[in-house]
């Protein structure tokens, strides 16, 4: 286990713990620089060979990735009882994956992108930094929104 930050209940995750969470994740938020502006995109991810992979179509995201600037990807989750949350951030350099150079782990048919359409470009993020945090949350009533918003509007 990692160190706890002074004055907080936040636990800093080890890199091994971060990879455990990354392997259990299937969606993340990819931050890129588009010209001079930051952009964030949801992507379906898979881990293999201590790297992150995702598919994308031509457009702003791919153009930004091919520019060669560093990117950040964040994924998070909570335990089954909603009493503990975690967040992992991977910073790294994106690169296109050549046709036919596919790690075996990526052949899983359950790891297809959620959004329909042709996503013909496979991108790999080689991490330069992997960090994460985990902490217990207060009771759900303090931060969890009501399940039925309609009752609040009448």
């Amino acid at each position: 286990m990692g160190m706890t930050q002074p004055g907080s209940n936040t636990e800093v995750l080890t890199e091994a713990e971060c990879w455990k969470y990354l392997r259990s994740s299937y969606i993340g938020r990819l931050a890129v620089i588009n010209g001079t502006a930051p952009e964030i995109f949801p992507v379906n991810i898979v881990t293999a060979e201590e790297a992150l992979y995702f598919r994308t179509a031509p457009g702003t995201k791919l153009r930004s990735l091919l520019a060669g600037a560093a990117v950040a990807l964040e994924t998070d989750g909570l335990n089954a009882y909603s009493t503990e949350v975690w967040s992992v951030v991977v910073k790294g350099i994106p690169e296109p994956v050549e046709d036919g150079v596919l790690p075996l782990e990526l052949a899983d048919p359950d790891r297809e992108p959620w959004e329909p359409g042709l996503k013909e470009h496979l991108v790999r993020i080689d991490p330069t930094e992997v960090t994460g945090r985990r902490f217990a949350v207060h009771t759900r009533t303090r931060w969890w929104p009501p399940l039925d918003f309609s009752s609040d509007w009448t």
Side-chain angles (χ1 to χ4, degrees), residues 81-93:
Y81 303 105
S82 301
T83 58
E84 185 176 82
V85 297
W86 57 266
S87 172
V88 174
V89 174
V90 175
K91 296 176 185 174
I93 305 299

Side-chain angles (χ1 to χ4, degrees), residues 103-115:
L104 187 59
E105 295 94 329
L106 298 180
D108 183 355
D110 291 333
R111 295 296 190 154
E112 291 294 318
W114 283 355
E115 185 181 30

Side-chain angles (χ1 to χ4, degrees), residues 65-79:
L65 291 164
L66 294 177
V71 299
L73 185 135
E74 189 269 347
T75 187
D76 52 37
L78 55 130
N79 68 0

